[in-house]
Structures are given as structure tokens and as C-alpha cells.
Amino acid sequence: MKPTEIIGNCHLYLGDCREILPSLPKVDLVLTDPPYGIGMDGGNVGYKGFNDLEKLGWDKTPPEADLIEMVVAAGKVAILWGGNYFGLPPSRCFLIWDKGAGFKGRTYAEAELAWTSLDANVRIFQWDPLARGDYKGKEHPTQKPIALMEWCMKRAGDPQSVLDPFMGSGSTGVACANMGKTFYGIEREPKYFDIACKRIEQAYAQMRLFA
């Protein structure tokens, strides 16, 4: 299947990952953030007052178990944020995103967990999205920091090809553009797909400017 858009080394597909995944080559790393099934698909999410995003209804239920298995099998290594929601097998290496525990007034979780297939020790990434201004200008309700996705790739060794079958607003793709990786991204919501394309194109444009 041909990508909907190609930007630099990023191959971007608008559609359902269940249909597109079988047509893609096996990658070095699957790095993704599927829906958790907890209703975080819009509204005032993260921290009150920073955003009021359109609710599109995609986070009512988590992906089916067979789809999660298909996603994990698509890479030599897999990192799934929200992995504690998906009934995956035990892992020795969970990655933890510490968002800054104990700050008064936050309604969201103080940390998130990523299940991995890595044979390694647990690792913690400390990144406070409120202190760093990540909520200002956020375009997706569960948008991950680019720095977090870059950190994940470093934990996975030196993957040359990366897949995100739940691409959302494209943070994994931007991280791949920044680090010179080949990226395959799939997103079924046209609004988010367009945002991802814009962010990835901007990442490449910035690199050309500095070059």
C-alpha cells in the first residue's frame, strides 16, 4: 500500500492500522501510544485552562487484544505507552514518564507507563509538561512530548526504522525526523493526520534552516 504522504524519510498513511499494517515491512522499533479507553479524547485535558480540544470519541475502548498483538509483532522491539491497559505479558523493562509528582491542582496522572519487549531494567524519564509549557499550543488530547519519544528510541538502542500505528499528532514522527530515522506512521482521523504532516514538515524545515 502506498503512503498517503511522504515527507523526508517519513511515510505517512491515513487509514486504519489493522488494514495497513500487513503491507508494511517489519521495523526495528514499534513506538506508539494507543487509545487507553479512558475517555481522554478531547475537552479540557491535562491541566484546566490550557486547552479545550474537540471531542472525537476515539478513546471509549482500548484496541482489541489481537490488534495489540499485531502491533507488537510489527517490530523487532516494541514500546507501547499505556501498556498497563492492554493485558500484555509481563515485562522486565517498563518505561516510566514522571510528570512531576505532588503538584497541587493537577487532575491527570502523575506518571505514565510504557510496556516494552526490552530485556533491560526499568527506566524513568522526568519531564514536567506544565513547567515546560507543553500544554500551550497542544493539538491532540494525549500528545506526547517529542523529547519523550526521542528518549524512548535511545532506550531501544539504535533503531533505524520506527513505526507508530496510532500516530495522532505525530510526535513520534517529529522525533524520527530530528534523529534521522525512517518513520512509518498511521492515523485514521483526518484532522490529526493533517496536524502530524504539518508538524513533521516543520521539523524538516527547521533542520534545513539550521543546515
Side-chain angles (χ1 to χ4, degrees), residues 33 40 42-47 50-54 58 97 99 108 112 129-130 133-145 169 171 191-192 195 198-199:
D33 184 31
M40 291 290 288
N44 228 319
V45 297
Y47 192 81
F50 278 102
N51 46 63
D52 190 11
L53 301 172
E54 180 183 6
W58 48 264
W97 173 22
K99 301 179 181 181
Y108 56 78
E112 289 189 38
L130 179 60
D134 286 354
Y135 288 125
K136 296 178 181 179
K138 186 172 165 179
E139 298 184 89
H140 187 284
T142 62
Q143 186 169 309
K144 291 291 186 288
S169 58
S171 291
K191 175 181 177 178
Y192 297 145
I195 291 170
K198 179 187 72 174
R199 293 179 73 210

Side-chain angles (χ1 to χ4, degrees), residues 26 29 36 38 45 52 56 74 79 81 93 112 126 133 142 157 174 194 205 207:
K26 188 161 187 170
L29 171 65
Y36 300 173
I38 58 175
V45 297
D52 190 11
L56 297 176
I79 300 174
W81 284 98
C93 179
E112 289 189 38
Q126 294 178 315
T142 62
V174 173
D194 290 343
M207 291 168 61

Side-chain angles (χ1 to χ4, degrees), residues 62-209:
E64 299 87 351
D66 66 323
L67 178 54
I68 291 294
E69 290 177 5
M70 184 188 301
V71 167
V72 171
K76 298 173 185 175
V77 173
I79 300 174
L80 275 66
W81 284 98
N84 46 311
Y85 290 96
F86 307 136
L88 288 159
S91 170
R92 194 166 80 85
C93 179
F94 268 79
L95 301 182
I96 300 172
W97 173 22
D98 177 357
K99 301 179 181 181
F103 188 91
K104 293 182 179 179
R106 298 190 187 189
T107 58
Y108 56 78
E110 294 178 347
E112 289 189 38
L113 304 177
W115 177 93
T116 85
S117 61
L118 296 166
D119 183 18
N121 294 320
V122 171
R123 291 288 180 258
I124 299 174
F125 181 77
Q126 294 178 315
W127 184 277
D128 185 336
L130 179 60
R132 293 178 180 269
D134 286 354
Y135 288 125
K136 296 178 181 179
K138 186 172 165 179
E139 298 184 89
H140 187 284
T142 62
Q143 186 169 309
K144 291 291 186 288
I146 295 165
L148 174 65
M149 306 318 259
E150 292 176 347
W151 176 80
C152 289
M153 285 191 274
K154 292 173 183 175
R155 301 284 72 74
D158 187 27
Q160 296 305 301
S161 56
V162 181
L163 164 68
D164 187 347
F166 301 95
M167 179 172 65
S169 58
S171 291
T172 308
V174 173
C176 285
N178 291 344
M179 298 177 72
K181 311 295 185 184
T182 298
F183 176 67
Y184 300 89
I186 307 171
E187 175 55 46
R188 67 182 183 183
E189 172 53 54
K191 175 181 177 178
Y192 297 145
F193 181 84
D194 290 343
I195 291 170
C197 290
K198 179 187 72 174
R199 293 179 73 210
I200 292 168
E201 178 59 48
Q202 288 173 344
Y204 277 110
Q206 188 173 27
M207 291 168 61
R208 290 192 293 268
L209 177 64

